[in-house]
Amino acid sequence: MRCSRPVTAILGISALYHDSAAALLVDGRIVAAAQEERFTRRKHDAGFPAHAIAYVLDEGGLDLASVHHVAFYDKPFLKFERLLESYLAYAPRGFNSFRMAMPVWLREKLFLKDLLKRELSLFDPGFSVDKLLFAEHHISHAASAFYSSPFEEAVVLTIDGVGEWATTTVAIGRGKDLEIQRELHFPHSLGLLYSAFTYYTGFKVNSGEYKVMGLAPYGQPRFRDLMLDRIVDVKPDGSFRLDQRYFNYAAGLTMTSKAMEDLFGHSVRQPETEPLTQFHMDIAASVQAVTEEILLRMTRALAQEYGIPSLCLAGGVALNCVANGKILRDGAFRDIWVQPAAGDAGGALGAAQAAWHMELGQPRRAQPGDAMRGAYLGPAFDDDRIAADLTAAGARFTRLDEGEILARSAQALADGKAVGWFQGRMEFGPRALGNRSILGDPRSGSMQKLLNLKVKYRESFRPFAPSVLREHVSEWFDLDGDSPYMLLVADVAERIRRQMTSEEQALFGIDKLNIRRSDIPAVTHVDYSARVQTVHRDTNPKYHALISAFHDLTGCPLLVNTSFNVRGEPIVCTPTDAFRCFMGTGIEMLVAGNCLLEKEAQDASLHENYENMYELD
């Protein structure tokens, strides 16, 4: 979108904590949004999002001097207040964490206005701090959810680790108005509870939580009651308190304390030396069950209290798609909508939306579907640019018309090949939704293992998501509604369920008997669940056409969809990124725009060079 003489342009920024990003609103309309990591190639890049800002301004056809307001997604002085008060509460035990945090705060975060002015002056030498606006962290989350949603009125629930003080907030959105009704405060945090068990099971905090969610179906929640009895005190309305004896995040440099190890009889798993065991699977199942119990109590109480049929969700916990699916099926709310960039990156968008509606008082009218337009808000590359970049990288490719591209791609997928699919505008948020995706045949018993071990280079237990034509979703899954952002888990339909064969068990490397699968085993988790993405013709016509072509060939209206990257690397952004990932992995075909590349046609020395770039462990 190119903008001319906008009435009001607002740049939103999130930075310096997790997943820096920038977003641009013009007259209230979302023009562009992107995470900094996609440009710098540093996963979860928390630095100032200079590249993302340059992109969103270019997408809007603006320079920074034309922007009326710059909105930042939280208030650093309030966060600093929390740091100081937490230190005083735990002193002297918290001195080491305090000592390590202070240099960063004094150098950057406490004097954020100065940092923002310095960085933004590189875009506009005359930039004035008078343009700066600051929203509280959870207001940014709530605004990103409500103002982007299809609802005129909604309860808005935001849950994450911690903002300034708040860890959970309840707000009511009506029209342009959004008001916080109540909050839970640090150190009592559902996000930090989940992160603590992420750490305890040997995964990386702030990026490994989804691994715990994926591991949970392999276990039994046999520690659920112990957690609820000893660690988490949950009230009937879902409010809760955490017994801080079991945690160390408020005062120390680790997430859990020795008391946690004593309670469960196991020390923190060392990921490089200690294998995952049934104990870790049961711990994952238990913390997932506790999380779901808290969320269900909370949402039931909110639905009863406010009598509003619609619920919006944001914050990092809203990325727990298993819990989201249970909230929907529970039925306390008739409709739920989850912000696809629910984590801190989405705060950039929410800060800009809060400035437009709450600070400037501009009216809002809910749009059919939602305001995110499929979350396709990042950079796009036309066929000439794609061809030029691929040529410069040494690629060998064929340019075809769209009909041939669809036919060749669908046939390759039906033949069991892994296909890199690079099309249109990059997605905003952590999920690839059909524009920066690696695709496969969901009917294949070997596809999950192939993608995990030969393409993604990640743990073999990790499930993959199905992209299904919206018009066919209820035939294949226990879901009869929209899930465009891959943020709801549903069970596969009864008619396609079956037991895993012994041959499939060998392919998956699973020794247990009677593992439950389906006729689409590559996207069915061991509990008969799947993280569903519904594909809509109006938001992504080319991806819809590809799945339709595959459906015509096979009778199956869905594909395996996983993000176009390998473990530890951000999703690809440019054609060059896509070619590098294609050459360094087991992807057999790359389709970038209308350029088609086959692995066997490429220079073998390039494959070896790119493969060596990745840490294959």
Side-chain angles (χ1 to χ4, degrees):
M1 173 182 174
R2 295 291 167 177
C3 308
S4 59
R5 298 188 180 184
V7 174
T8 304
I10 301 174
L11 173 67
I13 296 174
S14 64
L16 307 180
Y17 298 99
H18 310 292
D19 298 309
S20 294
L24 180 68
L25 293 189
V26 173
D27 294 344
R29 182 175 185 270
I30 306 170
V31 173
Q35 295 110 294
E36 183 71 0
E37 66 165 18
R38 307 294 173 84
F39 304 94
T40 64
R41 311 309 301 155
R42 291 192 294 270
K43 196 168 180 66
H44 303 301
D45 194 336
F48 183 79
H51 298 85
I53 290 171
Y55 156 67
V56 299
L57 292 175
D58 181 67
E59 186 67 35
L62 301 172
D63 55 30
L64 188 60
S66 304
V67 170
H68 296 76
H69 299 284
V70 176
F72 193 75
Y73 84 127
D74 74 2
K75 293 187 174 182
F77 276 101
L78 289 178
K79 191 165 284 189
F80 186 67
E81 174 189 87
R82 189 247 304 164
L83 181 72
L84 287 178
E85 289 196 22
S86 296
Y87 167 65
L88 292 173
Y90 290 94
R93 187 158 60 93
F95 179 72
N96 283 337
S97 61
F98 180 81
R99 177 176 55 83
M100 293 183 67
M102 277 304 96
V104 176
W105 273 95
L106 296 176
R107 185 173 66 248
E108 297 177 354
K109 298 176 182 179
L110 190 57
F111 303 104
L112 184 62
K113 274 192 177 181
D114 292 341
L115 183 148
L116 291 174
K117 178 175 171 55
R118 183 169 68 250
E119 295 287 351
L120 292 170
S121 293
L122 299 176
F123 292 88
D124 173 17
F127 181 80
S128 170
V129 293
D130 293 339
K131 287 187 175 183
L132 291 174
L133 299 171
F134 295 86
E136 287 192 23
H137 185 94
H138 274 257
I139 283 288
S140 294
H141 277 321
S144 75
F146 176 62
Y147 293 129
S148 301
S149 79
F151 309 136
E152 288 286 353
E153 180 183 48
V155 175
V156 186
L157 181 60
T158 68
I159 310 177
D160 64 3
V162 60
E164 293 87 3
W165 275 104
T167 64
T168 300
T169 64
V170 176
I172 300 298
R174 292 187 178 96
K176 68 177 179 60
D177 299 320
L178 181 64
E179 295 185 4
I180 299 290
Q181 305 295 305
R182 64 174 71 104
E183 300 178 338
L184 289 175
H185 285 176
F186 182 86
H188 307 292
S189 165
L190 187 55
L192 291 176
L193 172 70
Y194 210 91
S195 291
F197 281 99
T198 299
Y199 169 83
Y200 185 64
T201 51
F203 299 113
K204 187 175 180 181
V205 172
N206 292 324
S207 64
E209 285 77 4
Y210 57 91
K211 297 182 183 181
V212 175
M213 184 178 67
L215 188 64
Y218 290 91
Q220 295 296 320
R222 61 188 178 97
F223 302 112
R224 172 189 176 277
D225 291 345
L226 181 61
M227 290 180 183
L228 290 172
D229 181 55
R230 302 285 293 275
I231 296 175
V232 194
D233 178 20
V234 188
K235 304 303 181 187
D237 66 354
S239 60
F240 60 91
R241 295 182 66 83
L242 303 183
D243 188 332
Q244 290 301 301
R245 289 176 297 174
Y246 297 99
F247 303 95
N248 200 33
Y249 55 75
L253 300 176
T254 60
M255 292 298 296
T256 60
S257 71
K258 180 66 164 53
M260 184 79 80
E261 299 180 358
D262 293 340
L263 180 65
F264 293 111
H266 290 260
S267 59
V268 173
R269 184 178 79 91
Q270 301 304 308
E272 301 303 322
T273 60
E274 187 179 350
L276 283 167
T277 67
Q278 191 62 49
F279 168 76
H280 302 109
M281 298 173 191
D282 292 345
I283 284 285
S286 300
V287 73
Q288 179 66 31
V290 168
T291 298
E292 292 165 7
E293 177 68 20
I294 292 171
L295 290 172
L296 287 172
R297 289 192 196 186
M298 200 175 289
T299 51
R300 288 166 184 166
L302 292 173
Q304 184 174 15
E305 178 178 358
Y306 292 106
I308 297 172
S310 301
L311 173 70
C312 297
L313 295 171
V317 175
L319 294 172
N320 192 311
C321 51
V322 176
N324 294 344
K326 292 191 176 181
I327 293 169
L328 178 64
R329 290 190 295 277
D330 187 59
F333 285 94
R334 184 187 66 203
D335 301 301
I336 73 169
W337 190 87
V338 186
Q339 165 56 242
D344 277 7
L349 175 60
Q353 292 172 311
W356 176 249
H357 294 294
M358 300 174 70
E359 183 73 21
L360 303 182
Q362 293 294 327
R364 169 191 181 262
R365 184 173 297 278
Q367 302 179 23
D370 59 53
M372 297 294 290
R373 305 197 311 280
Y376 305 113
L377 299 170
F381 302 85
D382 64 26
D383 280 340
D384 288 342
R385 167 67 188 277
I386 291 171
D389 285 5
L390 292 176
T391 299
R396 298 168 181 170
F397 59 92
T398 305
R399 292 181 70 165
L400 304 170
D401 64 37
E402 185 162 314
E404 291 175 299
I405 282 288
L406 294 172
R408 292 274 298 273
S409 301
Q411 187 61 59
L413 290 163
D415 291 340
K417 293 183 178 179
V419 175
W421 187 251
F422 180 98
Q423 305 291 329
R425 294 185 70 175
M426 182 179 69
E427 301 89 341
F428 181 50
R431 308 295 188 208
L433 300 169
N435 280 4
R436 301 289 186 277
S437 293
I438 300 170
L439 308 177
D441 185 347
R443 304 167 304 156
S444 168
S446 60
M447 183 57 65
Q448 184 183 30
K449 188 173 183 180
L450 167 69
L451 291 177
N452 270 325
L453 301 182
K454 301 296 185 182
V455 175
K456 302 287 283 190
Y457 302 128
R458 69 184 197 182
E459 300 90 346
S460 61
F461 69 82
R462 300 271 295 279
F464 289 102
S467 291
V468 58
L469 298 177
R470 171 62 183 88
E471 53 269 33
H472 291 281
V473 64
S474 61
E475 302 165 19
W476 293 78
F477 303 97
D478 292 340
L479 177 68
D480 188 16
D482 296 343
S483 180
Y485 301 120
M486 209 182 285
L487 286 170
L488 293 172
V489 162
D491 289 340
V492 299
E494 186 71 33
R495 69 177 184 83
I496 63 170
R497 297 183 184 187
R498 59 174 172 78
Q499 298 298 107
M500 183 184 284
T501 66
S502 58
E503 291 80 7
E504 286 176 327
Q505 289 180 37
L507 283 169
F508 279 86
I510 296 172
D511 296 327
K512 294 180 181 179
L513 298 177
N514 299 321
I515 296 293
R516 295 172 292 180
R517 302 301 287 179
S518 72
D519 290 336
I520 44 173
V523 294
T524 304
H525 209 9
V526 294
D527 58 352
Y528 277 141
S529 70
R531 177 162 45 96
V532 178
Q533 179 201 1
T534 53
V535 179
H536 302 245
R537 183 181 284 106
D538 56 341
T539 54
N540 199 331
K542 193 167 185 177
Y543 191 36
H544 189 281
L546 174 66
I547 301 173
S548 297
F550 181 79
H551 183 210
D552 291 342
L553 279 176
T554 65
C556 181
L558 59 144
L559 293 173
V560 178
N561 175 13
T562 187
S563 56
F564 201 155
N565 65 322
V566 297
R567 185 178 66 175
E569 179 184 83
I571 294 173
V572 301
C573 177
T574 67
T576 304
D577 297 335
F579 180 67
R580 182 177 68 245
C581 189
F582 166 64
M583 292 300 293
T585 66
I587 299 172
E588 295 156 285
M589 177 183 285
L590 169 62
V591 183
N594 285 341
C595 299
L596 187 144
L597 298 77
E598 295 182 289
K599 180 65 67 63
E600 59 266 25
Q602 306 306 311
D603 184 334
S605 65
L606 283 179
H607 175 66
E608 183 176 345
N609 290 340
Y610 282 116
E611 190 174 52
N612 289 337
M613 293 176 63
Y614 296 116
E615 180 184 351
L616 311 184
D617 56 11

